[in-house]
């Protein structure tokens, strides 16, 4: 397994070639604008590559990396995860944050009691998940849940979270017979 240099944030992955001269479509994690000012990208397993050009094209982004000048060369890079150095990412407006800024933040309840610490952020498609380490192990916490409030640079606050979400057993909801989700044969 390849280890990554420190202070990298995953910004997407390379997709299909765009045209015949080595340009590639990107799948972007986050905002497209964060990539447009970058001068280099880190390709997992290959290291740093300089960007010859990067541009928004419709709803997507295309990138041309120096040294990748044919469709065949671009095909070899397809699917690789790409990263940017944290210090090279553009600044953000108030209320916005990069995932790397969440790592190491304390997770606390609304009263200020520390419940754990954010170890990582996982991109799970439609729902991003915080990996929270606590005294009894680790827990997964949905980042976009209405009870998760990020205070940039300070903490992740759980305000109104279900009981036992971290470090305990969350309430279990029995399957509903009305929805056809009953639990085994009906017993009366």
């Amino acid at each position: 397994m390849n280890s990554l240099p420190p202070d990298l944030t995953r910004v997407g992955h390379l997709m299909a070639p765009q045209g015949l001269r080595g340009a590639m479509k990107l799948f972007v994690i986050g905002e497209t604008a964060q990539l447009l000012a970058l001068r280099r990208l880190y390709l997992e397993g290959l290291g740093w590559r300089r960007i010859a050009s990067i541009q928004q094209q419709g709803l997507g982004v295309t990138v041309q990396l120096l040294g990748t000048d044919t469709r065949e060369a671009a095909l070899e890079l397809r699917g690789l995860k790409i990263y940017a150095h944290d210090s090279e990412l553009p600044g953000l407006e108030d209320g916005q944050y990069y995932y790397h800024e969440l790592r190491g933040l304390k997770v606390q309840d609304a009263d200020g009691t520390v419940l754990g610490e954010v170890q990582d952020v996982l991109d799970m498609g439609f729902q991003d998940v915080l990996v929270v380490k606590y005294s009894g192990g680790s827990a997964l916490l949905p980042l976009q849940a209405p009870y998760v409030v990020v205070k940039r640079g300070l903490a992740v606050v759980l305000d109104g979270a279900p009981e036992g979400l971290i470090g305990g057993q969350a309430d279990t909801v029995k399957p509903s017979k009305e929805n056809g989700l009953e639990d085994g044969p009906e017993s009366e």
Side-chain angles (χ1 to χ4, degrees):
M1 180 172 168
N2 296 327
S3 76
L4 297 172
D7 303 323
L8 292 183
T9 294
R10 183 168 174 215
V11 292
H13 66 265
L14 296 169
M15 293 172 49
Q18 174 72 31
L20 301 174
R21 297 190 179 163
M24 298 196 70
K25 296 176 187 176
L26 293 181
F27 173 83
V28 178
I29 296 173
E31 299 292 324
T32 300
Q34 73 186 12
L35 297 180
L36 299 179
L38 294 176
R39 295 181 174 194
R40 65 182 185 155
L41 292 170
Y42 186 88
L43 280 59
E44 187 174 40
L46 298 178
W48 290 104
R49 296 286 174 97
R50 286 199 136 326
I51 296 173
S53 70
I54 187 165
Q55 58 189 342
Q56 188 152 3
Q57 203 166 33
L59 298 176
V61 174
T62 59
V63 64
Q64 177 79 48
L65 301 171
L66 287 177
T68 307
D69 355 6
T70 66
R71 181 176 181 82
E72 293 72 26
L75 275 170
E76 291 180 26
L77 303 177
R78 185 179 186 174
L80 290 180
K81 295 175 184 173
I82 56 170
Y83 301 82
H85 195 277
D86 295 345
S87 66
E88 296 171 7
L89 292 168
L92 297 174
E93 297 177 18
D94 286 342
Q96 296 181 322
Y97 49 84
Y98 288 113
Y99 286 172
H100 73 270
E101 295 176 309
L102 301 179
R103 293 183 198 112
L105 287 183
K106 299 297 179 206
V107 177
Q108 59 190 43
D109 64 17
D111 297 327
T113 303
V114 175
L115 304 172
E117 182 177 301
V118 176
Q119 295 296 301
D120 202 359
V121 183
L122 304 176
D123 174 20
M124 304 298 285
F126 290 107
Q127 178 69 268
D128 300 323
V129 177
L130 298 173
V131 179
V132 178
K133 184 177 180 183
Y134 66 96
S135 61
S138 62
L140 300 177
L141 183 67
L143 181 56
Q144 286 83 9
Y147 49 80
V148 175
V149 179
V150 175
K151 295 187 176 182
R152 189 173 178 191
L154 299 174
V156 175
V157 179
L158 303 183
D159 190 2
E163 188 71 32
L165 189 62
I166 294 179
Q169 294 231 333
D171 292 336
T172 303
V173 178
K174 287 194 161 201
S176 169
K177 290 184 181 188
E178 298 161 2
N179 295 327
L181 301 174
E182 59 274 343
D183 219 10
E186 195 174 316
S187 58
E188 288 188 24

